[in-house]
Amino acid sequence: MDVWKVDLHSHTIYSKDCLTPTAKLLARARAVGLDRIAITEHNRLDGALAAKRLDPELVIVGEEIMTTHGEIIGYFLTEEVPRGLSPQETIRRLRGQGAAVVVPHPLDSLRRSAMGLENVLTIMDEVDALEVLNARCVYHADNRAAAALAQQHGKLATAGSDAHTLFEVGRCHTLMPPFTDDAASFLAALKASQPSGRISPFWTHIASTYARWRKRILPVTLP
Protein backbone atom coordinates (compact mmCIF):
# COMPACT_ATOMS: atom_id res chain seq x y z
CA MET A 1 0.00 0.00 0.00
CA ASP A 2 1.18 3.51 -0.82
CA VAL A 3 2.24 5.60 2.20
CA TRP A 4 2.50 9.37 2.11
CA LYS A 5 4.86 11.48 4.17
CA VAL A 6 2.85 14.49 5.32
CA ASP A 7 4.02 17.46 7.41
CA LEU A 8 0.87 18.79 9.06
CA HIS A 9 2.23 21.98 10.64
CA SER A 10 4.40 24.63 8.98
CA HIS A 11 4.81 28.39 8.56
CA THR A 12 6.06 30.85 5.95
CA ILE A 13 6.86 34.55 5.81
CA TYR A 14 3.14 35.26 6.23
CA SER A 15 3.44 34.29 9.92
CA LYS A 16 4.69 36.98 12.30
CA ASP A 17 7.58 34.85 13.56
CA CYS A 18 8.86 33.42 10.28
CA LEU A 19 11.02 34.75 7.44
CA THR A 20 10.83 31.71 5.13
CA PRO A 21 9.72 32.61 1.59
CA THR A 22 6.79 30.50 0.47
CA ALA A 23 8.42 29.20 -2.71
CA LYS A 24 11.54 28.12 -0.82
CA LEU A 25 9.49 26.24 1.79
CA LEU A 26 7.62 24.36 -0.93
CA ALA A 27 10.87 23.51 -2.73
CA ARG A 28 12.32 22.25 0.55
CA ALA A 29 9.23 20.12 1.15
CA ARG A 30 9.70 18.47 -2.22
CA ALA A 31 13.43 18.02 -1.59
CA VAL A 32 12.91 16.16 1.70
CA GLY A 33 10.35 13.84 0.13
CA LEU A 34 7.08 15.18 1.49
CA ASP A 35 3.96 14.18 -0.39
CA ARG A 36 1.86 16.89 1.25
CA ILE A 37 2.52 19.83 3.59
CA ALA A 38 -0.03 21.82 5.55
CA ILE A 39 0.61 25.56 5.59
CA THR A 40 -0.77 26.75 8.93
CA GLU A 41 -0.01 30.45 9.34
CA HIS A 42 -0.77 32.14 12.64
CA ASN A 43 -4.26 33.70 12.54
CA ARG A 44 -4.40 34.20 8.78
CA LEU A 45 -5.32 32.19 5.71
CA ASP A 46 -3.77 34.21 2.89
CA GLY A 47 -0.36 32.56 3.25
CA ALA A 48 -1.79 29.07 2.83
CA LEU A 49 -3.88 30.19 -0.14
CA ALA A 50 -0.80 31.75 -1.76
CA ALA A 51 1.11 28.50 -1.28
CA LYS A 52 -1.79 26.52 -2.72
CA ARG A 53 -1.67 28.62 -5.87
CA LEU A 54 2.04 27.89 -6.24
CA ASP A 55 1.75 24.13 -5.76
CA PRO A 56 -1.88 22.93 -5.63
CA GLU A 57 -0.98 19.25 -5.40
CA LEU A 58 1.46 19.61 -2.49
CA VAL A 59 -0.30 22.09 -0.21
CA ILE A 60 -3.02 21.53 2.38
CA VAL A 61 -4.67 24.83 3.29
CA GLY A 62 -4.70 25.38 7.04
CA GLU A 63 -4.69 28.01 9.76
CA GLU A 64 -3.32 27.99 13.31
CA ILE A 65 -5.79 30.07 15.30
CA MET A 66 -5.20 31.59 18.73
CA THR A 67 -8.38 31.24 20.76
CA THR A 68 -9.03 32.67 24.21
CA HIS A 69 -7.63 29.43 25.64
CA GLY A 70 -4.83 28.29 23.34
CA GLU A 71 -4.36 27.36 19.69
CA ILE A 72 -6.43 25.25 17.32
CA ILE A 73 -5.55 24.21 13.76
CA GLY A 74 -8.11 23.86 11.00
CA TYR A 75 -7.38 22.03 7.74
CA PHE A 76 -9.13 22.40 4.37
CA LEU A 77 -10.47 25.86 5.11
CA THR A 78 -12.00 28.25 2.62
CA GLU A 79 -12.45 31.24 4.94
CA GLU A 80 -10.16 32.76 7.57
CA VAL A 81 -11.23 32.35 11.20
CA PRO A 82 -10.25 35.35 13.37
CA ARG A 83 -8.17 35.03 16.50
CA GLY A 84 -9.55 35.76 19.97
CA LEU A 85 -12.72 33.69 19.85
CA SER A 86 -13.52 30.98 22.38
CA PRO A 87 -12.37 27.47 21.46
CA GLN A 88 -15.99 26.46 21.05
CA GLU A 89 -16.81 29.33 18.68
CA THR A 90 -13.60 28.74 16.74
CA ILE A 91 -14.53 25.10 16.26
CA ARG A 92 -18.08 26.06 15.26
CA ARG A 93 -16.74 28.31 12.51
CA LEU A 94 -14.33 25.64 11.31
CA ARG A 95 -17.08 23.02 11.19
CA GLY A 96 -19.26 25.47 9.29
CA GLN A 97 -16.83 25.26 6.38
CA GLY A 98 -16.22 21.54 6.61
CA ALA A 99 -12.73 21.75 8.10
CA ALA A 100 -10.85 19.12 10.07
CA VAL A 101 -10.04 20.30 13.61
CA VAL A 102 -6.83 19.51 15.51
CA VAL A 103 -5.29 20.80 18.75
CA PRO A 104 -1.57 21.47 18.15
CA HIS A 105 1.11 20.87 20.80
CA PRO A 106 -1.68 20.52 23.40
CA LEU A 107 0.47 19.80 26.47
CA ASP A 108 3.65 21.73 25.67
CA SER A 109 4.74 22.92 29.11
CA LEU A 110 6.93 25.75 27.77
CA ARG A 111 4.60 27.24 25.17
CA ARG A 112 2.09 29.89 26.20
CA SER A 113 -0.02 29.15 23.13
CA ALA A 114 -0.52 25.52 24.21
CA MET A 115 -4.05 24.78 25.31
CA GLY A 116 -3.14 22.67 28.34
CA LEU A 117 -4.93 19.67 29.78
CA GLU A 118 -7.86 21.42 31.44
CA ASN A 119 -8.80 23.39 28.32
CA VAL A 120 -8.31 20.45 25.96
CA LEU A 121 -10.65 18.33 28.03
CA THR A 122 -13.44 20.89 27.67
CA ILE A 123 -13.43 20.50 23.86
CA MET A 124 -12.19 16.93 23.48
CA ASP A 125 -15.50 15.71 22.08
CA GLU A 126 -15.51 18.50 19.47
CA VAL A 127 -12.09 17.95 17.86
CA ASP A 128 -10.91 15.31 15.41
CA ALA A 129 -7.33 14.84 16.56
CA LEU A 130 -4.48 15.93 18.79
CA GLU A 131 -1.00 16.74 17.54
CA VAL A 132 1.06 14.16 19.41
CA LEU A 133 4.46 14.80 17.82
CA ASN A 134 5.53 18.41 17.35
CA ALA A 135 9.19 18.92 16.44
CA ARG A 136 9.35 22.16 18.45
CA CYS A 137 8.33 20.61 21.77
CA VAL A 138 11.50 20.93 23.83
CA TYR A 139 10.52 18.22 26.29
CA HIS A 140 9.87 14.82 24.75
CA ALA A 141 7.60 14.04 27.69
CA ASP A 142 5.12 16.68 26.51
CA ASN A 143 4.69 14.89 23.18
CA ARG A 144 4.39 11.54 24.95
CA ALA A 145 1.72 12.96 27.26
CA ALA A 146 -0.23 14.25 24.24
CA ALA A 147 -0.05 10.81 22.61
CA ALA A 148 -1.30 9.16 25.78
CA LEU A 149 -4.15 11.67 26.03
CA ALA A 150 -5.21 11.05 22.44
CA GLN A 151 -5.19 7.30 22.97
CA GLN A 152 -7.12 7.60 26.23
CA HIS A 153 -9.91 9.54 24.54
CA GLY A 154 -9.92 7.67 21.24
CA LYS A 155 -8.71 10.63 19.19
CA LEU A 156 -6.72 10.56 15.97
CA ALA A 157 -3.08 11.63 16.12
CA THR A 158 -1.05 13.99 13.93
CA ALA A 159 2.60 15.00 13.67
CA GLY A 160 4.22 18.08 12.19
CA SER A 161 7.46 20.00 12.14
CA ASP A 162 5.97 23.36 13.14
CA ALA A 163 8.65 24.62 10.77
CA HIS A 164 9.57 28.30 10.87
CA THR A 165 12.90 27.71 9.07
CA LEU A 166 13.82 25.62 6.03
CA PHE A 167 15.95 23.32 8.20
CA GLU A 168 12.88 22.16 10.10
CA VAL A 169 10.63 21.18 7.22
CA GLY A 170 9.56 17.56 7.50
CA ARG A 171 11.50 16.77 10.66
CA CYS A 172 8.30 15.49 12.23
CA HIS A 173 5.64 14.17 9.89
CA THR A 174 2.68 11.84 9.62
CA LEU A 175 2.96 8.62 7.62
CA MET A 176 -0.48 7.88 6.20
CA PRO A 177 -2.37 6.45 3.22
CA PRO A 178 -3.08 8.76 0.27
CA PHE A 179 -6.13 11.01 0.49
CA THR A 180 -7.96 13.52 -1.64
CA ASP A 181 -8.02 17.25 -0.96
CA ASP A 182 -10.87 17.30 1.55
CA ALA A 183 -11.39 16.80 5.27
CA ALA A 184 -13.39 13.57 5.06
CA SER A 185 -10.80 11.72 3.00
CA PHE A 186 -7.98 13.13 5.14
CA LEU A 187 -9.57 12.00 8.40
CA ALA A 188 -10.27 8.54 7.00
CA ALA A 189 -6.61 8.21 6.03
CA LEU A 190 -5.51 9.53 9.43
CA LYS A 191 -7.07 6.47 11.06
CA ALA A 192 -4.22 4.41 9.58
CA SER A 193 -1.47 6.95 10.25
CA GLN A 194 1.79 6.84 12.18
CA PRO A 195 3.51 9.90 13.71
CA SER A 196 7.20 9.91 12.90
CA GLY A 197 10.32 12.05 12.96
CA ARG A 198 12.82 13.92 15.13
CA ILE A 199 12.69 16.88 17.50
CA SER A 200 14.32 20.07 16.23
CA PRO A 201 17.21 21.71 18.12
CA PHE A 202 16.52 24.61 20.46
CA TRP A 203 18.09 27.21 18.15
CA THR A 204 15.00 27.07 15.94
CA HIS A 205 13.09 28.92 18.66
CA ILE A 206 15.76 31.63 18.63
CA ALA A 207 15.25 31.95 14.87
CA SER A 208 11.55 32.66 15.46
CA THR A 209 12.33 35.31 18.06
CA TYR A 210 14.76 36.93 15.64
CA ALA A 211 12.14 36.88 12.87
CA ARG A 212 9.57 38.55 15.11
CA TRP A 213 11.93 41.39 16.10
CA ARG A 214 13.31 41.73 12.58
CA LYS A 215 9.81 42.31 11.23
CA ARG A 216 9.12 44.95 13.87
CA ILE A 217 12.25 46.87 12.93
CA LEU A 218 12.13 46.34 9.19
CA PRO A 219 8.75 45.09 7.91
CA VAL A 220 8.82 42.66 4.99
CA THR A 221 6.87 42.79 1.77
CA LEU A 222 4.70 39.73 1.29
CA PRO A 223 4.73 37.99 -2.11
Side-chain angles (χ1 to χ4, degrees):
M1 183 181 71
D2 242 357
V3 176
W4 278 0
K5 182 179 178 182
V6 184
D7 188 339
L8 286 169
H9 193 162
S10 71
H11 299 269
T12 76
I13 197 169
Y14 283 81
S15 283
K16 63 183 180 180
D17 53 356
C18 180
L19 293 169
T20 304
T22 305
K24 288 188 176 182
L25 180 132
L26 299 180
R28 175 67 176 173
R30 292 285 189 185
V32 300
L34 292 178
D35 295 285
R36 296 290 185 274
I37 186 167
I39 308 298
T40 53
E41 312 292 13
H42 294 293
N43 308 306
R44 60 191 303 173
L45 196 62
D46 53 352
L49 294 175
K52 186 74 168 178
R53 289 191 293 270
L54 287 176
D55 197 333
E57 181 184 75
L58 180 67
V59 171
I60 298 169
V61 173
E63 183 187 356
E64 186 172 23
I65 307 153
M66 176 58 78
T67 76
T68 54
H69 293 79
E71 289 180 320
I72 288 174
I73 287 180
Y75 299 115
F76 307 99
L77 285 75
T78 55
E79 297 179 9
E80 184 174 297
V81 176
R83 65 173 296 157
L85 304 173
S86 70
Q88 292 79 6
E89 176 61 16
T90 300
I91 293 169
R92 187 188 72 78
R93 295 195 185 197
L94 290 170
R95 294 299 188 200
Q97 51 185 300
V101 180
V102 176
V103 182
H105 46 70
L107 304 181
D108 190 327
S109 55
L110 295 183
R111 202 172 331 205
R112 288 180 296 177
S113 61
M115 192 162 277
L117 179 59
E118 182 177 349
N119 292 318
V120 173
L121 290 176
T122 65
I123 59 166
M124 187 68 79
D125 292 341
E126 302 176 54
V127 304
D128 297 306
L130 303 183
E131 185 183 58
V132 305
L133 186 56
N134 179 295
R136 282 197 160 207
C137 282
V138 174
Y139 296 128
H140 294 242
D142 293 342
N143 279 324
R144 289 196 295 268
L149 184 64
Q151 184 175 29
Q152 179 184 354
H153 290 270
K155 290 297 171 179
L156 299 172
T158 70
S161 66
D162 203 352
H164 289 66
T165 66
L166 291 175
F167 166 81
E168 300 170 79
V169 175
R171 283 184 67 86
C172 282
H173 51 270
T174 308
L175 300 174
M176 57 194 299
F179 52 90
T180 55
D181 196 25
D182 63 88
S185 179
F186 167 74
L187 291 172
L190 201 58
K191 293 177 181 178
S193 69
Q194 177 185 338
S196 184
R198 298 173 295 164
I199 299 302
S200 294
F202 186 78
W203 67 257
T204 58
H205 295 271
I206 299 172
S208 291
T209 300
Y210 167 76
R212 189 180 295 111
W213 281 102
R214 162 72 168 69
K215 285 182 172 181
R216 289 179 184 176
I217 297 167
L218 187 61
V220 300
T221 300
L222 295 176

